[in-house]
Amino acid sequence: MIEIQPTLRAESLTKQFGAVLAVDQATLQVNPGEIVGLLGPNGAGKTTMLRMIAGILTPDSGHVSVRGVNIADHPLEAKRMIGFHSGDTQLYRRLNAREALQYFGRLYGMPEDRLNARINELIDLLEMRAFCDRPCDTYSAGQKQRANIARAFLHDPDLLILDEPTTALDVISGQFIVETIRAEKAAGRAVLFSTHIMGEAEYLCDRIALLHQGRIVDQGPLDDLLERSGCRNLTDTFLKLAGREVAA
Amino acid sequence: MRFRILSIIFRKELVESLRDRRTLFMMVGLPILLYPLLIFGMSRLQESQQEAQQQRESNVAVWGAMPDELAARFRDAPRLGILPWAEVPAGVRQALEAGTVEPPPVEPPRREADDRDAKPKPLPTEAWARAAQQAILDRKADAVLILWPGFSSSVAGGAAGRATILYDSVRPDSTTARNRLSDELRLWRIELTEARVRERGLPQGFHQGLEYESQNVAPQKRQAGMFLGMMLPYMVILLSVMSGFYASIDVTAGEKERGTMQTLLCAPVEALEIVGGKFLAVWTITLLGTTVNLISLSLVFSRVKLIPGMEMQIGAPTVLLAFVLLLPISMMVTALFLAVGAFARDFKDGQNYLTPIMMGLIFPLVATMQPGIELNAHLAFVPVVNIALLIKAVFLGEWMADMVFLVMISSICYAAIALVFAAQVFERNNVLLGGKETLGGVLDFSRTPGARPTPGVSMLLFSVVLVIAFYASLSLTKLSVPGMLLIVQYGFFLLPALALVYAKGYDWRETLSLRRLPWRGLLGALLIGLSAWAVASGILIRLLPPPESLVKALEKILMMDDRTVPLWQVWLLMAVTPALCEETLFRGVILSGFRRLGMWPALLISGLLFGLAHASIYRLLPTFFLGVLFGYAVWMTGSLWAGVICHALNNGLMALLARSRETVEQFGLAGQKYLPWEYVGIAAVVLAAGLWLVRGAAPQRSSTTA
């Protein structure tokens, strides 16, 4: 049997800020064409974990590799394979979306002709034509999110890391982003995705990891999680696991 | 660091900053508006005030009996209104009329020029003084003239009448009144004394004893330069760095606040590329601001006469030199702005963080505005002060090439230290993501066992060593040449280099190229050491001949103040010691730090630093050339000993020629200003052979390349 190389392998990641243990021995794996959801309450350590995986923060211990490339040893090579988006990643307000995308495309080393073609493709895909030539600080929340998603998708990364991509969006924009993520999965990309919205996770994720107080308390396909917890839905499962952990 | 990525970040930051109205205003708007407003406003205000004062009549209260002659003189004096007995209290008038009040005692003449203990004359406590003070402060009179009892009879009887003028030095109207009164009294005194001399048939000048006058020899340009030099460095430096103030906050704290810093950190870019691109963009903006400042200044000064009758042209060469001098200081401040701005959470926070840096600039700048403070060797290494004083010297037309060079080196060193600090801050992603990090945490140069120095560490080491060694050598001038040389070489060159390698846990062998020198390399190094000096002095010294004073100073050092010292001791001190210490520092640690840039950039940079360390513009080219050659020998052979041998032979040869008149005469060099071309030719051939030999002597080439 041929073993598929996982797109992301994060092992025993730990990060401490002063006295606070933000992430504790977290291990996670995402395969090509798979969407893995990272669920946890506020302050569970999701953002810190995703930042470590994206190579933005250096873990105190543990390893991250993307398609076998260790991010600590070869950060630039690994980052070229990652598209990262979170509520904290914004675009430059005095540039327009097209200029911002050109800037990032050049940083990723994309040839100019391919870059311009890809930008036009994303502008059409994410329906950005109406506003893409205006400065970013004139965008609505939904328009900003689309421009940010375009930036994360721009260089055709193997691994997409999306930290609460639908937060603060209206239903239509949120649904649009969700469908876009499904399309990326269909294109064979690995997606690691964090959300507060349980319905979104149930709809999108092949596997779910539950993070609580910096530790992954359970992970697996939705049905397995439900079976192990004895709950009817993900919300109850999450609450139960979290509560059990708190009680312990 | 990839220059393509650096350039992409630089261009984007520049475009974005130039779209920011605040930055544009600080860069272009402020200098264009401020100078004309300030200078025109100042001169107009001054003119109109002076005009108003000149037009206004001075009201002078005269207390005491006024002789008719004086009253007539006051009546004829322009704009002098005399108010007899005005505002005088009854008691004071009675006392003055009755002659029961004494004038203050006459002070004996004293020297004033160097009397540092001289105190301002206190106001007497008597009633007349308080009454006069009240009248002036209440603006009932601009000044009070008291003619003491017996004034008229003394004047008429051939003695001196006593009078006192009371005025308020803070109020211009009062000072004008004092001046008008003084003028009239002085002119009357001249008339009186001349009449007395005539009446008694005395020779002219009898009453004066001697006549003298002072004549200002400062040309008009110098006087204007003095005025400009006091004011302009302050304004130009401050406004130039202000151009980059908002841009610095915008690209650091502003980016953190807007969440774009994290976006950039996701991209495959190195921290050094980020800080480099941002630094270049902000520095460019600062330099654009500097250019606008200087142009605006020179245009304004060509139109306005701040001092009556004085032309204040700021010519193109002065503007250009001032611009060059502002390069390192703007570089240093920009790097500091970026490093400190990165700690701030948001824009407002950034302003709070950067304001102390601006204040830190203002204090030394104000100090340089004081008259009498001039640039000297000690001040040449004091950051900010050195540039301000040099700009002052430029306006006075008194700058010297060597002093410019010293100031530039020291300023570049400080700029390099600030840049390394900025790079260190940007290496901390936690800081850039808004996390907390103490300054101590950022400055913690942790041990990296087995590693090699980085270009930043090399630059930092060079800068720190140079500044410390410079001050140390200035404070050690009382020591003998050997004593000073030993302390500087071992204490300030060798020790810091070795301490750094130890403290950082670097690989000794790799960092210092501690390998056995192969025979071929040894032969090559011998040939380079014997010939390099001849080529350097034969060609490069002809390009920029050193002044006689420098040649004499160098000879004095090579003589070690004493011709009787045996030659072997001279070689030990002048050749072996610098060869060991300087090679460990420059071809050991510093060259090792630049290795990752490739051979030629590493050799050129380390050679340039070696040249700069010799602290003279006249020695820069030859020592740079020697630094590159010695570096090449070390790089090719993989052994520091190649550099040590080259350096020791080079210095030994110079010491021999400086000390041994026989050797000089033997080679027919006596009385020659430059080395004859035939010797240069022979030396060039020997040097080429030496280079060829070291080129093929690389037993461990693979480990010596980046």
Side-chain angles (χ1 to χ4, degrees):
Chain A
M1 183 179 150
I2 300 167
E3 195 180 334
I4 303 168
Q5 186 192 42
T7 305
L8 168 71
R9 194 194 292 268
E11 285 172 42
S12 309
L13 291 181
T14 301
K15 184 76 186 176
Q16 190 156 357
F17 296 110
V20 180
L21 188 60
V23 176
D24 183 15
Q25 297 285 325
T27 296
L28 196 69
Q29 186 171 309
V30 186
N31 295 316
E34 184 183 36
I35 300 181
V36 174
L38 189 64
L39 268 63
N42 288 336
K46 298 191 298 290
T47 300
T48 302
M49 182 154 175
L50 294 181
R51 280 177 173 179
M52 285 192 286
I53 291 171
I56 301 169
L57 260 185
T58 311
D60 295 338
S61 62
H63 304 281
V64 174
S65 60
V66 182
R67 290 186 58 195
V69 176
N70 188 316
I71 203 160
D73 298 335
H74 305 284
L76 303 187
E77 199 182 328
K79 279 183 179 180
R80 270 192 206 99
M81 295 186 276
I82 300 172
F84 180 83
H85 165 73
S86 85
D88 296 332
T89 50
Q90 298 295 327
L91 291 179
Y92 303 100
R93 59 181 183 170
R94 290 190 288 273
L95 300 186
N96 62 39
R98 191 184 292 276
E99 287 172 328
L101 291 176
Q102 277 169 341
Y103 172 58
F104 279 99
R106 286 170 190 149
L107 290 181
Y108 279 95
M110 294 171 75
E112 285 295 310
D113 50 349
R114 198 187 130 214
L115 172 63
N116 289 325
R118 176 70 176 149
I119 289 172
N120 282 325
E121 187 185 321
L122 284 169
I123 284 172
D124 289 336
L125 178 74
L126 295 164
E127 298 173 7
M128 292 165 54
R129 199 154 294 278
F131 60 86
C132 68
D133 292 315
R134 279 196 280 122
C136 291
D137 63 353
T138 62
Y139 296 174
S140 68
Q143 288 170 335
K144 275 183 189 162
Q145 204 76 323
R146 287 175 197 212
N148 270 310
I149 297 267
R151 197 263 314 147
F153 288 5
L154 179 67
H155 54 290
D156 284 321
D158 296 291
L159 171 66
L160 278 168
I161 302 172
L162 308 171
D163 188 7
E164 299 179 9
T166 56
T167 303
L169 293 185
D170 60 42
V171 177
I172 297 170
S173 298
Q175 189 55 34
F176 182 81
I177 301 290
V178 166
E179 291 309 325
T180 309
I181 294 169
R182 276 180 72 91
E184 290 300 310
K185 167 193 154 84
R189 274 182 246 296
V191 181
L192 176 60
F193 152 81
S194 85
T195 184
H196 280 304
I197 306 163
M198 297 300 158
E200 228 174 62
E202 284 174 342
Y203 175 68
L204 274 176
C205 300
D206 299 307
R207 283 189 302 117
I208 290 167
L210 296 172
L211 193 69
H212 184 62
Q213 292 184 337
R215 300 190 66 191
I216 293 181
V217 290
D218 200 0
Q219 62 176 309
L222 177 63
D223 292 343
D224 291 3
L225 286 182
L226 294 179
E227 193 181 321
R228 277 201 290 275
S229 65
C231 298
R232 286 174 302 163
N233 57 46
L234 188 57
T235 307
D236 291 348
T237 307
F238 177 71
L239 287 174
K240 190 175 176 184
L241 282 172
R244 194 187 296 163
E245 184 67 16
V246 170
Chain B
M1 183 157 56
R2 297 157 300 171
F3 289 99
R4 193 181 62 81
I5 297 292
L6 189 83
S7 140
I8 292 169
I9 296 175
F10 161 68
R11 277 181 287 149
K12 175 258 153 193
E13 296 292 357
L14 191 63
V15 166
E16 223 203 345
S17 293
L18 290 176
R19 287 180 186 175
D20 180 19
R21 273 178 298 205
R22 278 173 306 198
T23 300
L24 271 182
F25 176 73
M26 296 303 281
M27 191 178 83
V28 183
L30 197 63
I32 287 179
L33 285 175
L34 190 73
Y35 289 117
L37 278 180
L38 199 71
I39 307 294
F40 282 112
M42 255 170 64
S43 62
R44 278 303 305 151
L45 189 71
Q46 211 176 351
E47 274 172 25
S48 61
Q49 275 217 334
Q50 276 176 353
E51 220 167 275
Q53 272 167 34
Q54 294 299 324
Q55 293 302 322
R56 192 176 169 273
E57 188 174 83
S58 299
N59 294 318
V60 177
V62 180
W63 299 350
M66 193 164 23
D68 293 342
E69 206 180 334
L70 182 60
R73 174 172 278 282
F74 280 161
R75 253 196 315 279
D76 296 342
R79 290 182 286 280
L80 196 60
I82 299 298
L83 310 166
W85 297 109
E87 304 300 322
V88 66
V92 173
R93 181 169 182 166
Q94 272 174 9
L96 281 168
E97 283 175 337
T100 55
V101 61
E102 288 287 315
V106 177
E107 285 185 23
R110 58 184 176 83
R111 290 190 174 86
E112 290 176 356
D114 297 315
D115 191 355
R116 296 176 65 125
D117 299 326
K119 288 181 184 131
K121 200 161 56 175
L123 186 71
T125 53
E126 282 89 341
W128 58 266
R130 288 200 308 274
Q133 185 187 39
Q134 199 62 45
I136 296 165
L137 293 182
D138 291 347
R139 306 203 173 209
K140 298 279 172 43
D142 294 324
V144 173
L145 171 67
I146 299 178
L147 302 172
W148 295 103
F151 180 84
S152 300
S153 56
S154 296
V155 170
R162 289 285 314 277
T164 301
I165 303 171
L166 294 109
Y167 74 105
D168 175 5
S169 68
V170 177
R171 182 150 65 92
D173 285 343
S174 184
T175 311
T176 307
R178 195 277 307 259
N179 292 345
R180 286 173 178 162
L181 270 177
S182 294
D183 275 353
E184 292 310 319
L185 291 172
R186 183 173 50 83
L187 292 171
W188 191 41
R189 178 165 63 182
I190 292 169
E191 277 177 26
L192 276 174
T193 48
E194 281 179 353
R196 287 175 185 180
V197 164
R198 269 198 311 277
E199 275 169 22
R200 286 162 180 76
L202 297 170
Q204 275 293 319
F206 173 83
H207 62 293
Q208 282 168 313
L210 58 96
E211 284 206 56
Y212 70 91
E213 58 182 18
S214 306
Q215 175 64 56
N216 187 0
V217 296
Q220 199 193 58
K221 195 182 164 197
R222 245 181 84 79
Q223 291 180 47
M226 167 92 178
F227 180 80
L228 292 175
M230 271 166 61
M231 200 177 71
L232 290 197
Y234 176 83
M235 290 172 71
V236 170
I237 292 177
L238 213 57
L239 283 179
S240 297
V241 298
M242 277 297 283
S243 320
F245 185 82
Y246 278 112
S248 306
I249 302 173
D250 195 57
V251 302
T252 51
E255 280 221 25
K256 276 161 82 172
E257 186 180 4
R258 297 189 294 270
T260 49
M261 189 66 92
Q262 180 167 289
T263 316
L264 184 57
L265 294 174
C266 303
V269 290
E270 293 173 17
L272 266 181
E273 291 160 352
I274 297 176
V275 70
K278 285 179 183 291
F279 167 78
L280 284 178
V282 180
W283 194 37
T284 304
I285 286 164
T286 307
L287 294 181
L288 287 173
T290 305
T291 310
V292 177
N293 263 289
L294 288 170
I295 291 173
S296 172
L297 252 183
S298 55
L299 287 178
V300 168
F301 272 97
S302 64
R303 298 260 180 275
V304 174
K305 283 181 183 171
L306 269 185
I307 300 175
M310 198 179 284
E311 293 288 331
M312 287 201 206
Q313 297 283 344
I314 303 178
T318 307
V319 169
L320 198 66
L321 192 52
F323 180 81
V324 172
L325 295 177
L326 286 166
L327 290 175
I329 192 170
S330 55
M331 189 191 274
M332 178 184 82
V333 177
T334 303
L336 270 181
F337 276 174
L338 286 184
V340 176
F343 282 96
R345 287 188 307 272
D346 51 35
F347 206 95
K348 200 175 161 195
D349 214 21
Q351 284 175 305
N352 294 339
Y353 279 37
L354 262 55
T355 304
I357 299 180
M358 291 300 291
M359 299 304 289
L361 274 177
I362 289 172
F363 291 128
L365 286 176
V366 169
T368 61
M369 286 173 80
Q370 307 305 312
I373 297 186
E374 291 186 341
L375 187 61
N376 56 36
H378 284 90
L379 291 176
F381 267 64
V382 178
V384 184
V385 169
N386 56 1
I387 295 285
L389 289 176
L390 191 54
I391 291 178
K392 198 167 158 178
V394 166
F395 283 120
L396 279 170
E398 288 179 349
W399 56 278
M400 287 179 297
D402 245 356
M403 202 51 103
V404 174
F405 186 69
L406 266 188
V407 169
M408 289 299 274
I409 298 176
S410 64
S411 302
I412 289 169
C413 283
Y414 292 121
I417 293 172
L419 265 174
V420 171
F421 174 52
Q424 189 80 7
V425 172
F426 274 74
E427 290 278 359
R428 299 286 196 276
N429 278 7
N430 190 26
V431 176
L432 301 184
L433 292 171
K436 282 186 183 163
E437 183 100 43
T438 60
L439 190 63
V442 172
L443 292 177
D444 173 33
F445 286 83
S446 51
R447 277 173 72 87
T448 42
R452 273 188 190 173
T454 59
V457 168
S458 284
M459 207 50 222
L460 190 65
L461 175 68
F462 169 77
S463 303
V464 172
V465 160
L466 192 70
V467 173
I468 295 174
F470 180 81
Y471 274 117
S473 50
L474 280 180
S475 57
L476 295 174
T477 43
K478 284 184 184 159
L479 285 181
S480 63
V481 169
M484 190 168 90
L485 197 100
L486 285 172
I487 292 177
V488 170
Q489 288 285 338
Y490 287 101
F492 300 116
F493 286 174
L494 184 66
L495 191 64
L498 297 182
L500 177 78
V501 178
Y502 174 76
K504 290 283 289 178
Y506 292 143
D507 184 316
W508 288 93
R509 186 179 147 92
E510 288 299 320
T511 304
L512 299 179
S513 300
L514 296 177
R515 295 186 192 85
R516 193 182 62 81
L517 182 60
W519 285 106
R520 184 178 166 139
L522 172 68
L523 192 59
L526 286 171
L527 294 183
I528 293 171
L530 284 171
S531 58
W533 166 80
V535 176
S537 64
I539 299 172
L540 300 171
I541 288 180
R542 280 182 162 91
L543 296 176
L544 188 64
E548 193 64 23
S549 57
L550 179 69
V551 178
K552 294 269 182 239
L554 283 177
E555 277 177 5
K556 191 173 168 245
I557 293 173
L558 289 168
M559 294 291 180
M560 289 171 50
D561 295 331
D562 183 5
R563 263 181 190 282
T564 58
V565 178
L567 193 60
W568 69 268
Q569 282 186 20
V570 177
W571 275 339
L572 208 59
L573 274 166
M574 296 293 162
V576 178
T577 293
L580 277 175
C581 301
E582 291 176 19
E583 289 308 304
T584 304
L585 177 64
F586 288 98
R587 256 64 65 184
V589 183
I590 289 177
L591 179 63
S592 175
F594 290 109
R595 270 179 187 270
R596 62 182 69 186
L597 303 181
M599 184 177 88
W600 284 111
L603 291 183
L604 291 173
I605 295 171
S606 65
L608 181 66
L609 297 183
F610 181 65
L612 289 174
H614 287 80
S616 168
I617 193 165
Y618 302 103
R619 297 178 70 194
L620 176 65
L621 268 182
T623 45
F624 163 66
F625 175 70
L626 293 176
V628 174
L629 286 181
F630 300 168
Y632 184 79
V634 173
W635 189 286
M636 281 300 168
T637 58
S639 170
L640 186 72
W641 298 111
V644 173
I645 288 168
C646 292
H647 200 144
L649 271 176
N650 176 76
N651 286 19
L653 202 62
M654 279 201 296
L656 178 72
L657 287 172
R659 291 180 64 87
S660 168
R661 206 175 294 279
E662 300 78 38
T663 314
V664 172
E665 279 167 7
Q666 205 176 344
F667 283 94
L669 299 174
Q672 298 270 7
K673 191 175 176 192
Y674 301 117
L675 197 66
W677 282 113
E678 53 268 33
Y679 284 108
V680 178
I682 294 167
V685 173
V686 176
L687 180 63
L691 293 173
W692 176 76
L693 283 170
V694 293
R695 189 181 157 81
Q700 298 177 45
R701 179 82 57 88
S702 60
S703 65
T704 63
T705 50

